[in-house]
Amino acid sequence: MGLQDADANDAGFGARIRSALFWRSGSQILSQVMSWGVTLAVIRLLDPADYGLFAMTQVILNFATFLNGYGLVSALVQSDTVEPHRLRQAFGIMLLLNGALALCQLAIAPIAADYYDQPMVADLLRVQALLYLSTPFISVPEAIMGRALDFKRPALVNLIAAAASAAVALTGALSGWGVWTLVWAPIAGFWVKGAGYVLVTGFRPIPSFDFRGTGAMVGYGASLLGGQLFWIVQSQADIFIGGRVLEPHQLGLYAEALFLTQIFVSKFVPPLNDVAFPAYARMQKDLSRVAWSFCKAVKLLLLLTCPIYLGMAVTAEPLVETLFGAKWLEMAPFVAVLALAMPFMTVQVMFAPVSNALGRPGTTARIAAVGAVLMPAAFLIGIQAGAIGLAWAWLAAFPILTLVTARLAGGPMGLRLADLAAAAAPGLGCSVLMAGVVMAIDALLPPLAAPIRLGILVPAGGVAFLGALLLCARGTLKELIGLVLRRAPPAPAPA
């Protein structure tokens, strides 16, 4: 293949990446805007205790999710070719796994209710078992789309599913369903998404239970299980520990503060990672290119998210009162602390698709193992101070976990800590300057209604951040503008 052909292939691949990012992230943004609007309305109608009970059930669901077979989907994406029979085999395995998970949840529901001393938890878990049965219809079509970097067709499905979930949530909240609103809304969204994905991909959901030749696929998926199990332990330990000690009201305040501060890292980074995984897999023979692309992604993502995180921290009180209402005002201290931990979490979760795409799922498992020890230990210490201690545990432990991740996952691609720090510096540094300006302005304001106070601080923060960029990181600002205008910066010169 000639040089011109290689350049044409690179250009075509780059265009597909940009298209995938546009459709995957664009549909995610639109669906999240819709979801957030309804969520804010629902939160005002429900009580913190409802969210506390719901959080208790999520520990069980998330703990079981690591066995739902999504590692098989990753194997399908990474493999060179996928035959229709292999898809049917994967679908058959997914049906068996998720059917078994649903039955297990029915069995452990009363045990979980006894642990939390909340009888309602058992009833909630029994109904939530329906979620597992939708997983095969979502995951296999996702593998088909992921291999093709095709996110345009399912974008409409995501929006329809979000609309269905939002409609059920709003109906339930207005009809007095209480905590059941939080149960039926995601069930509706998952099943609408599953049906839609099957239709738009043309996948025929006919399983094959002849599992001959699936050894490599199952082996790759099994290699990811350890990392997923450790991740579940790490991410759910706070609710598992706090739910045993705290009343549902306090647990609900903490859980919703975590939800608010994690919106961007949990809703927008995963779609980017969905695109990044196949993209890094295509680059895996050129490690310097992988490292350069990763640093570029860190720089641009923190440039977009750090002002939001630090803005949340310094405007927590008017933000919570404006969005959630006065009855949620006790949540503000949790938001102020948790938001400061989110830049570290954003960087940390970006490493997983790189390690997996380079064929090193064991690295992800080792990192998750560190988190599964570090974070629960921090939560056990923090809970001694009550719910706010859980928030401080995040801020104390996650910077350490991010540093460990950078050393373990960055080494194989030649990433230096100095390179990562340089990539993070523009977004984080300018956001710190912005936060200082916002705090100074807030201190000078007279007593004002929360929406008015927030309406002053947010634009002031935006102007301060832009000024900091122009003063300290003008080159980075030009890169961001170039990306928006689809003028890619030059790739690094070969060594």
Side-chain angles (χ1 to χ4, degrees), residues 53 56 109-110 112-123 243 246-248:
L53 289 170
M56 293 175 186
D114 289 341
Y115 172 81
Y116 290 120
D117 196 22
Q118 297 290 339
M120 174 68 76
V121 168
D123 297 331
L246 303 173
E247 292 297 320

Side-chain angles (χ1 to χ4, degrees), residues 238 241-243 245-246 251 377-390 393:
D238 53 351
I241 293 170
V245 176
L246 303 173
L251 187 65
F379 294 136
L380 284 170
I381 296 171
I383 195 62
Q384 306 305 314
I388 193 65
L390 296 178

Side-chain angles (χ1 to χ4, degrees), residues 1 41 125 133 276 283 356:
M1 183 173 62
L125 285 171
L133 303 182
M283 302 178 194
N356 294 338

Side-chain angles (χ1 to χ4, degrees), residues 97-402:
L97 282 176
N98 286 277
L101 286 175
L103 293 176
C104 286
Q105 183 156 304
L106 293 178
I108 68 173
I111 300 174
D114 289 341
Y115 172 81
Y116 290 120
D117 196 22
Q118 297 290 339
M120 174 68 76
V121 168
D123 297 331
L124 300 176
L125 285 171
R126 292 186 183 103
V127 175
Q128 287 171 321
L130 292 171
L131 289 168
Y132 300 113
L133 303 182
S134 67
T135 300
F137 300 91
I138 297 173
S139 57
V140 177
E142 278 185 344
I144 297 172
M145 295 181 293
R147 283 183 52 79
L149 291 175
D150 175 14
F151 297 99
K152 181 177 180 179
R153 290 181 299 167
L156 181 60
V157 175
N158 290 334
L159 293 175
I160 294 173
S165 180
V168 172
L170 194 58
T171 300
L174 292 173
S175 302
W177 295 358
V179 66
W180 287 104
T181 302
L182 306 175
V183 172
W184 285 111
I187 290 175
F190 270 63
W191 276 102
V192 170
K193 180 183 286 189
Y197 275 11
V198 169
L199 290 175
V200 300
T201 59
F203 171 67
R204 298 179 63 187
I206 302 175
S208 172
F209 298 107
D210 176 6
F211 299 134
R212 288 175 295 181
T214 62
M217 177 172 60
V218 173
Y220 183 86
S223 69
L224 298 178
L225 284 181
Q228 292 171 346
L229 173 59
F230 290 137
W231 168 253
I232 293 300
V233 172
Q234 169 190 320
S235 62
Q236 299 301 310
D238 53 351
I239 301 296
F240 185 76
I241 293 170
R244 178 81 170 179
V245 176
L246 303 173
E247 292 297 320
H249 178 84
Q250 282 293 313
L251 187 65
L253 292 173
Y254 166 80
E256 286 310 289
L258 192 60
F259 162 76
L260 178 63
T261 54
Q262 285 187 341
I263 280 178
F264 290 92
V265 69
S266 65
K267 301 300 183 182
F268 292 113
V269 176
L272 296 177
N273 282 348
D274 288 345
V275 178
F277 175 57
Y280 288 135
R282 300 285 184 95
M283 302 178 194
Q284 60 183 297
K285 294 182 180 179
D286 187 352
L287 294 180
S288 63
R289 186 182 177 193
V290 172
W292 179 85
S293 299
F294 180 81
C295 284
K296 186 67 63 178
V298 168
K299 178 188 289 187
L300 295 176
L301 189 58
L302 291 187
L303 195 69
L304 294 171
T305 57
C306 277
I308 297 173
Y309 296 140
L310 271 70
M312 283 185 178
V314 296
T315 64
E317 186 176 311
L319 177 67
V320 169
E321 187 173 354
T322 300
L323 294 181
F324 293 75
K327 70 178 178 180
W328 286 89
L329 198 53
E330 295 175 86
M331 192 176 88
F334 300 99
V335 173
V337 176
L338 288 167
L340 297 177
M342 291 305 112
F344 299 99
M345 186 177 184
T346 299
V347 174
Q348 199 267 343
V349 299
M350 292 177 68
F351 278 97
V354 182
S355 296
N356 294 338
L358 296 181
R360 296 176 178 269
T363 300
T364 302
R366 287 194 296 273
I367 293 168
V370 174
V373 174
L374 177 62
M375 297 306 295
F379 294 136
L380 284 170
I381 296 171
I383 195 62
Q384 306 305 314
I388 193 65
L390 296 178
W392 280 108
W394 275 90
L395 185 55
F398 227 90
I400 299 173
L401 182 58
T402 303

